[in-house]
Amino acid sequence: MTTMETLTKLQKKDIKLIGKFVEVYCKGRHGATERQSFSLPAGLGERRLCLECSEFMRYAVTRRIKCPLEAEKPSCKKCRTHCYNKANLAKVKEIMAYSGMKLMLRGRLDYIWHYFF
Ligand SMILES: [Zn+2]
């Protein structure tokens, strides 16, 4: 899709970060489940995800691309309109908490900084 190739720098950054979080979560929680490559848009690489996490990732990417507050928004964490539906909002919180803890233990504070502080 051509629209996916014209993402802003911030959109790319957020999508990349979400992808990392979902992958860490999937590996830890769904390690035994069969996983496939999920291609991120705009050449942002691939992530190994199970079917459930692929569905969520597709949703997250779509929401991020369609965000109407692009210009004023520092990060999804601080967003005033949480655009996720209830089920996916619960899931993203679970993913952020789980992967945030794991990445923190690995010293990946650059990831944590953006989403938790
Ligand atoms: Zn998974």
Side-chain angles (χ1 to χ4, degrees):
M1 272 191 278
T2 47
T3 49
M4 291 213 167
E5 303 303 324
T6 55
L7 302 180
T8 66
K9 236 179 148 180
L10 199 60
Q11 282 176 322
K12 286 185 184 175
K13 192 182 166 202
D14 281 351
I15 288 168
K16 225 176 149 177
L17 278 164
I18 298 165
K20 180 68 186 172
F21 271 89
V22 176
E23 189 179 61
V24 168
Y25 172 85
C26 190
K27 201 176 174 186
R29 282 284 173 88
H30 309 140
T33 314
E34 194 185 331
R35 290 182 292 150
Q36 302 174 337
S37 284
F38 180 91
S39 292
L40 296 175
L44 291 172
E46 299 198 339
R47 294 293 177 191
R48 298 289 296 175
L49 302 174
C50 74
L51 204 63
E52 185 192 324
C53 292
S54 295
E55 284 298 317
F56 173 78
M57 194 62 219
R58 195 168 299 125
Y59 179 84
V61 167
T62 307
R63 300 311 312 184
R64 188 60 191 87
I65 289 171
K66 285 184 177 164
C67 179
L69 302 172
E70 185 57 32
E72 63 173 86
K73 194 160 64 62
S75 78
C76 290
K77 171 81 178 165
K78 292 172 189 155
C79 189
R80 61 180 161 82
T81 58
H82 283 299
C83 64
Y84 282 37
N85 66 29
K86 228 177 168 186
N88 281 308
L89 188 62
K91 190 164 171 74
V92 77
K93 280 181 177 169
E94 194 188 333
I95 289 170
M96 289 300 170
Y98 180 87
S99 299
M101 194 57 75
K102 282 219 149 189
L103 290 165
M104 191 131 63
L105 291 173
R106 282 192 218 152
R108 296 307 305 267
L109 289 168
D110 51 330
Y111 281 117
I112 313 308
W113 196 257
H114 188 72
Y115 278 100
F116 289 90
F117 299 100

